[in-house]
């Protein structure tokens, strides 16, 4: 049926160019194609879930239109963003299928490979692939086949999907901090990040320092073993030190955290006995942590404390993230 509709569409275009009349059947088939594409666009607007969106995309792709596919894909992506949904592989495959296989933007020769032309279609496909990378959506063989049939072996989208298939699989199991769901607030991101950093400490308790909001929040983490080390160190006359900010990436945002150490004053001899992560790390936040510590560990109430914290904003959008993950930095082995 698609070949028949494409043949009819070519007949209509040829008739318009040559001025010769077109048969009524050709006009009727052409009208059906336009009507089907319009119905698919309307179906997309009322879709509320990914399966419904895929059904609308499949209905549009079945018409194999020569024009309007880039606009339809961009509209579908905007609709997905409006609904707050995350693309999955099936949805991406469906969007890639909207591009016609019989087209003029496919790489067909060595010259196309050496001097690729940056078309709207390739830009649109690269945009979808970028979403897959950021969402950690691993492409399958079906994704490669769809792009290969529409863009050619040497095209940028096909090169990109090969890279994603390799690197996302390579690092999928190597990332121990990947989250299975998207947190709903900045405070939840901070909590999850702190949980991941301290996940190897059994019995770790996350304590809220202040009532949490997206703009202002702070959480401290201590395990029973760390509180015991803190009690022993204070009992031996050692001081407590809070240093920072150190940094971790959470949800694509750089977040600051503080490290509490107890033990000898000599560098690197202290034991890490707690972590704190907040929306903004300041000496005032460190002081609040010490006050709360007197409740969590009464033996540390009279300890001599040193605060070595530089004030400043800790949230930064300097580096985009391929997935929601946490990479702990500047953390010592003794505290894990």
């Amino acid at each position: 049926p698609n070949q028949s509709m494409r043949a009819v569409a070519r007949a209509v275009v040829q008739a318009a160019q040559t001025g010769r009349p077109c048969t009524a059947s050709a006009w009727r088939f052409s009208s059906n194609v336009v009507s089907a594409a319009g119905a698919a666009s309307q179906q997309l607007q009322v879709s509320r879930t990914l399966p419904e969106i895929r059904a609308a995309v499949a209905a549009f792709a079945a018409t194999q239109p020569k024009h309007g596919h880039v606009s339809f894909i961009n509209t579908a992506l905007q609709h997905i963003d409006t609904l707050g949904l995350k693309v999955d592989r099936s949805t991406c495959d469906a969007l890639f299928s909207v591009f016609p296989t019989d087209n003029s933007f496919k790489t067909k020769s060595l010259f196309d490979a050496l001097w690729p032309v940056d078309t709207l279609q390739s830009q649109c496909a690269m945009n979808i692939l970028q979403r897959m990378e950021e969402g950690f959506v691993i492409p399958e063989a079906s994704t490669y086949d769809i792009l290969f049939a529409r863009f050619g072996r040497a095209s940028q989208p096909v090169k990109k999907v090969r890279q994603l298939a390799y690197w996302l699989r390579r690092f999928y199991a190597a990332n121990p901090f990947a989250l299975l769901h998207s947190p709903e607030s900045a405070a939840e991101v901070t909590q999850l990040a702190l949980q991941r950093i301290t996940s190897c400490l059994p019995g770790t308790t996350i304590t809220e320092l202040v009532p949490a909001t997206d703009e202002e929040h702070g959480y401290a983490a201590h395990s029973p073993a760390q509180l015991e080390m803190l009690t022993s160190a204070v009992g031996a006359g050692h001081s407590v030190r809070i240093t920072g900010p150190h940094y971790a990436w959470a949800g694509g945002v750089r977040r600051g955290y503080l490290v509490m150490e107890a033990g000898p004053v000599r560098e690197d001899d202290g034991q890490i006995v707690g972590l704190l992560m907040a929306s903004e790390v300041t000496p005032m936040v460190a002081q609040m942590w010490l006050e709360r510590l007197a409740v969590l560990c009464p033996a540390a109430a009279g300890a001599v404390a040193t605060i070595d914290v530089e004030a400043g904003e800790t949230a930064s959008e300097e580096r985009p993230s391929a997935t929601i993950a946490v990479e702990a930095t500047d953390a010592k082995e003794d505290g894990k």
Side-chain angles (χ1 to χ4, degrees):
N2 292 337
Q3 292 180 354
S4 300
M5 284 187 279
R6 287 198 295 270
V8 171
R10 284 195 294 268
V12 173
V13 173
Q14 184 178 5
Q17 293 174 344
T18 60
R20 291 180 296 181
C22 184
T23 62
S25 60
W27 284 112
R28 187 162 53 252
F29 275 108
S30 177
S31 177
N32 290 340
V33 171
V34 175
S35 299
S41 299
Q42 294 178 358
Q43 181 182 353
L44 175 65
Q45 296 301 324
V46 299
S47 301
R48 292 295 177 267
T49 63
L50 286 181
E52 293 176 354
I53 292 174
R54 286 196 295 269
V57 172
F60 185 90
T63 65
Q64 285 288 299
K66 286 290 184 179
H67 305 284
H69 42 269
V70 173
S71 177
F72 179 84
I73 292 175
N74 289 334
T75 301
L77 292 175
Q78 292 176 1
H79 188 59
I80 290 173
D81 292 339
T82 301
L83 296 176
L85 302 175
K86 301 295 184 181
V87 295
D88 55 14
R89 184 185 56 80
S90 299
T91 303
C92 293
D93 285 355
L95 291 173
F96 288 136
S97 298
V98 171
F99 294 110
T101 54
D102 185 11
N103 59 67
S104 60
F105 50 82
K106 181 186 298 184
T107 56
K108 301 177 180 179
S109 65
L110 178 62
F111 294 101
D112 293 334
L114 294 177
W115 296 284
V117 179
D118 192 15
T119 64
L120 289 176
Q121 291 81 3
S122 62
Q123 292 177 5
C124 183
M126 293 294 285
N127 182 25
I128 301 174
L129 290 169
Q130 182 65 29
R131 286 172 175 256
M132 294 180 67
E133 180 178 358
E134 294 175 353
F136 217 83
V137 179
I138 301 179
E140 298 291 344
S142 59
T143 312
Y144 177 85
D145 293 340
I146 294 171
L147 289 173
F148 183 88
R150 287 155 178 80
F151 291 93
R153 181 188 300 274
S155 64
Q156 293 300 317
V158 171
K159 292 179 180 178
K160 178 74 171 180
V161 76
R162 285 203 298 259
Q163 294 170 356
L164 291 184
Y166 175 79
W167 289 108
L168 292 184
R169 282 186 174 85
R170 181 180 178 89
F171 290 111
Y172 179 79
N175 182 2
F177 301 115
L179 302 180
L180 300 180
H181 71 282
S182 300
E184 298 179 356
S185 65
E188 186 181 356
V189 172
T190 301
Q191 277 186 288
L192 291 172
L194 198 54
Q195 290 173 3
R196 295 303 173 119
I197 294 176
T198 60
S199 60
C200 55
L201 298 174
T204 298
T205 301
I206 307 295
T207 304
E208 185 180 73
L209 294 183
V210 294
T213 64
D214 281 350
E215 292 76 20
E216 183 178 353
H217 53 268
Y219 300 93
H222 299 273
S223 70
Q226 287 178 325
L227 293 178
E228 289 180 7
M229 288 190 295
L230 175 61
T231 301
S232 300
V234 172
H238 297 304
S239 61
V240 175
R241 298 182 304 281
I242 298 179
T243 62
H246 309 278
Y247 294 99
W249 289 95
V253 178
R254 191 182 70 167
R255 298 181 182 275
Y257 66 94
L258 301 180
V259 174
M260 179 180 291
E261 300 178 351
V265 178
R266 295 188 305 275
E267 185 177 359
D268 295 332
D269 284 348
Q271 297 272 0
I272 293 180
V273 294
L275 296 175
L276 178 142
M277 183 173 286
S279 54
E280 184 178 358
V281 174
T282 62
M284 183 179 298
V285 173
Q287 185 62 43
M288 293 175 57
W289 189 14
L290 285 174
E291 295 173 359
R292 180 61 61 88
L293 187 63
V295 178
L296 298 175
C297 184
V304 178
T306 302
I307 297 178
D308 184 12
V309 177
E310 297 179 1
E313 293 289 338
T314 62
S316 171
E317 297 289 348
E318 295 176 1
R319 184 188 73 173
S321 179
T323 184
I324 300 176
V326 174
E327 299 171 5
T329 60
D330 297 335
K332 297 181 180 179
E333 292 294 332
D334 291 340
K336 286 198 172 185

